[in-house]
Amino acid sequence: MADINVFDNQRNSEFQEEIVQVNRVSKKTKGGNKIGFSVLTVVGNKNGKVGVGLGKAPDVASAIKKGVAIAKKHAIDVPIVRGTIPFEFYIKLGAAKIILKPAPTGSGVIAGGAVRSVVSLAGIQNISSKVLGTKNQASNVYATIEALKRLALRYEREKKNYGTK
């Protein structure tokens, strides 16, 4: 009983969570079909920290819990300058191609579903993006996270080399 309360306290922490995709998967076994679920979740604190996790379990609730735990564990810091990203970034990861562009104040989040969930939970208020290549939401989410990770590395490197921007 105490474990459940501890988990509820963790759940009401700083992170907000969003479910991007729920997949039902089944496997043929000797005894019949084994059915499970995989859930792709994104968590963020809307203040520059965002993570993604893929939870797999026999039921949806457990898969969501696992996905959220994995996402919190692998959360990354995203540089936000005046409500947007510091510069334009293009990434190709697998079949997914993502373009992220900074936008002027008041533009809002102009992004497709998978990218929108990641950038809005990261706390980016003004961004323009385009998803090219695949329509696979999982690939697009992972590509967006990787783009933000590389963008942060580049931003830190440039800040160190050229002073504050």
Side-chain angles (χ1 to χ4, degrees), residues 23-37:
N23 277 342
R24 193 184 82 145
V25 291
S26 63
K27 179 182 178 182
K28 283 277 192 194
T29 59
K30 191 169 74 172
N33 292 338
K34 184 179 178 191
I35 294 176
F37 294 90

Side-chain angles (χ1 to χ4, degrees), residues 99-153:
I99 301 171
L100 301 173
K101 289 184 179 183
T105 305
S107 300
V109 177
I110 303 167
V115 177
R116 176 181 291 271
S117 61
V118 174
V119 296
S120 65
L121 285 175
I124 300 170
Q125 293 135 2
N126 303 300
I127 191 168
S128 180
S129 73
K130 183 65 183 162
V131 175
L132 305 165
T134 184
K135 291 180 181 169
N136 184 334
Q137 287 184 320
S139 294
N140 290 333
V141 166
Y142 284 121
T144 305
I145 286 284
E146 186 62 31
L148 292 174
K149 203 183 293 183
R150 291 184 190 177
L151 187 119
L153 289 172

Side-chain angles (χ1 to χ4, degrees), residues 85-89 100-102 150-152 154-155 158 165:
I85 55 176
F87 38 78
E88 185 175 334
F89 204 84
L100 301 173
K101 289 184 179 183
R150 291 184 190 177
L151 187 119
R154 182 173 152 195
Y155 180 69
E158 287 188 11
K165 278 192 136 183

Side-chain angles (χ1 to χ4, degrees), residues 1 3 10 18 23 37 40-41 55 58 67 77 94 107 110 131 149:
M1 197 89 160
D3 292 337
Q10 272 183 338
E18 193 171 311
N23 277 342
F37 294 90
L40 185 68
T41 57
D77 289 319
S107 300
I110 303 167
V131 175
K149 203 183 293 183

